[in-house]
Amino acid sequence: MRIVALFGLMAGLVFADGFDDNPQKTFKKENTAWITRTETAYHGDGSLYVKRKWSYKAGDITAVEMSGEYEAISNFQHTYNDSGKPTEKKILDGEDNLIAKYSYFYDKSGGYHVDVHTYDQDGKADLMSYVHYYNDLGHWTVRHTLMSDDVVGKMENEFDKDSGLMTKSVISWVLDGEKMSVTSEILYSYHENGQPKEKKEVSPTGMLRSREVYDDRGSNLNLEYYDADGNFAQGIELKPIYTESEDGKSVIKKGETWEIMKGKEREVVDSGKTEIDHVVEK
């Protein structure tokens, strides 16, 4: 999607959240008391790398502003039905040009699907679009990638029957114009408290393609990408910084230190620190 290209690869590594195609994650409601959330990343010499500021209203994200070595503005619009369920969500650039639109459709069984269309700079819908399907438990079961009206890609998700946690995603693409073939699998594991622990993408032959590791509070510790031969290509290591809340009842993430690495020897090409700040309603 165009919004990802705007953010840039290295900025995505520093903030280590990349982009999740699941609309449930993209538009997840945050703390309803938040007005803004700001993450500021500095190089090791203290100079500004990238600053991202999220703005919220009633838990819904309304804007993301990026400044520093990467600059971008994205605005978000949310529409709900009388039952409080989303019907449409839009992402626009800083000049209010439509970047992406998410349309929600509900069925009588309690399931629903989300159509996702992205747009070029002239406002024309891209040929490729996505449809996400959810069952009556809210599980993201299937994603179809469409070229015009033809399904050219598919991701099928599996869940643990007891915990309801996603355990595996099988990704397939039409490779020869007719047959859809499995191109990779994503495997998920979790801490005892249900927080993500590890996410691995592997080829059909078991070759590791990417790996993400999280602590039991949900903070990303590692993000790694591997080349076609299974060698480490690039990635980032992060060390979260936590502090107790003012009332002493919870732990708050205030930032993290990070190192960006490249090549088989994991040479450190950049390092620094990210600070996180929240402004809440009083």
Side-chain angles (χ1 to χ4, degrees):
M1 292 176 66
R2 185 151 55 100
I3 188 171
V4 180
L6 289 172
F7 284 173
L9 171 64
M10 298 306 282
L13 284 174
V14 167
F15 289 98
D17 57 7
F19 185 85
D20 194 322
D21 283 328
N22 183 355
Q24 288 181 329
K25 299 286 183 67
T26 306
F27 294 103
K28 182 185 70 171
K29 277 186 174 290
E30 300 287 0
N31 188 320
T32 55
W34 288 359
I35 298 175
T36 62
R37 177 175 185 265
T38 304
E39 293 189 6
T40 308
Y42 298 94
H43 291 287
D45 62 6
S47 61
L48 177 64
Y49 188 176
V50 182
K51 180 178 182 178
R52 288 200 298 186
K53 178 183 176 182
W54 290 260
S55 298
Y56 298 91
K57 183 177 181 180
D60 278 332
I61 184 171
T62 58
V64 178
E65 302 172 58
M66 178 176 284
S67 58
E69 296 183 14
Y70 298 89
E71 295 187 358
I73 297 176
S74 299
N75 297 307
F76 298 76
Q77 296 179 353
H78 308 262
T79 304
Y80 295 90
N81 61 22
D82 293 339
S83 301
K85 294 180 178 179
T87 56
E88 186 176 85
K89 295 178 180 285
K90 295 179 179 179
I91 305 176
L92 304 96
D93 65 17
E95 298 179 351
D96 286 338
N97 298 309
L98 185 62
I99 296 175
K101 181 171 68 174
Y102 295 66
S103 302
Y104 293 69
F105 302 92
Y106 301 90
D107 58 43
K108 294 180 179 179
S109 68
Y112 64 100
H113 69 273
V114 184
D115 292 354
V116 182
H117 290 271
T118 55
Y119 298 83
D120 63 22
Q121 295 187 1
D122 295 323
K124 294 179 61 177
D126 294 330
L127 291 177
M128 188 170 287
S129 63
Y130 309 88
V131 184
H132 303 255
Y133 295 92
Y134 301 83
N135 62 20
D136 57 349
L137 299 176
H139 293 159
W140 179 33
T141 54
V142 178
R143 180 188 72 205
H144 283 166
T145 303
L146 289 78
M147 184 67 71
S148 297
D149 292 326
D150 297 324
V151 177
V152 297
K154 180 173 63 174
M155 181 165 74
E156 296 180 289
N157 300 319
E158 299 177 8
F159 297 83
D160 180 84
K161 64 179 181 179
D162 296 321
S163 67
L165 296 171
M166 188 184 296
T167 56
K168 183 168 73 171
S169 299
V170 180
I171 300 172
S172 306
W173 287 92
V174 174
L175 300 179
D176 55 12
E178 295 181 2
K179 183 180 179 181
M180 186 169 287
S181 303
V182 173
T183 57
S184 61
E185 292 185 353
I186 301 176
L187 308 174
Y188 309 89
S189 62
Y190 300 87
H191 292 281
E192 290 185 0
N193 63 359
Q195 287 283 2
K197 182 177 182 180
E198 187 179 57
K199 174 183 175 182
K200 294 193 300 184
E201 181 177 2
V202 298
S203 72
T205 60
M207 187 80 73
L208 183 62
R209 288 179 171 162
S210 66
R211 177 174 177 262
E212 301 174 23
V213 179
Y214 298 84
D215 67 14
D216 58 6
R217 292 190 175 99
S219 293
N220 196 193
L221 302 177
N222 295 81
L223 178 59
E224 304 172 346
Y225 296 97
Y226 294 80
D227 62 23
D229 296 320
N231 298 313
F232 178 86
Q234 62 179 350
I236 184 169
E237 287 189 358
L238 305 104
K239 295 180 180 179
I241 301 170
Y242 295 106
T243 186
E244 282 193 355
S245 61
E246 292 183 3
D247 59 12
K249 295 181 179 180
S250 61
V251 174
I252 300 172
K253 183 178 177 181
K254 295 295 291 182
E256 59 201 358
T257 58
W258 48 267
E259 290 184 339
I260 295 176
M261 301 165 293
K262 283 190 174 182
K264 291 196 314 184
E265 303 302 321
R266 297 181 179 243
E267 177 188 2
V268 176
V269 296
D270 203 354
S271 63
K273 179 180 179 180
T274 300
E275 297 177 352
I276 301 174
D277 182 55
H278 298 91
V279 175
V280 298
E281 288 184 317
K282 296 183 179 179

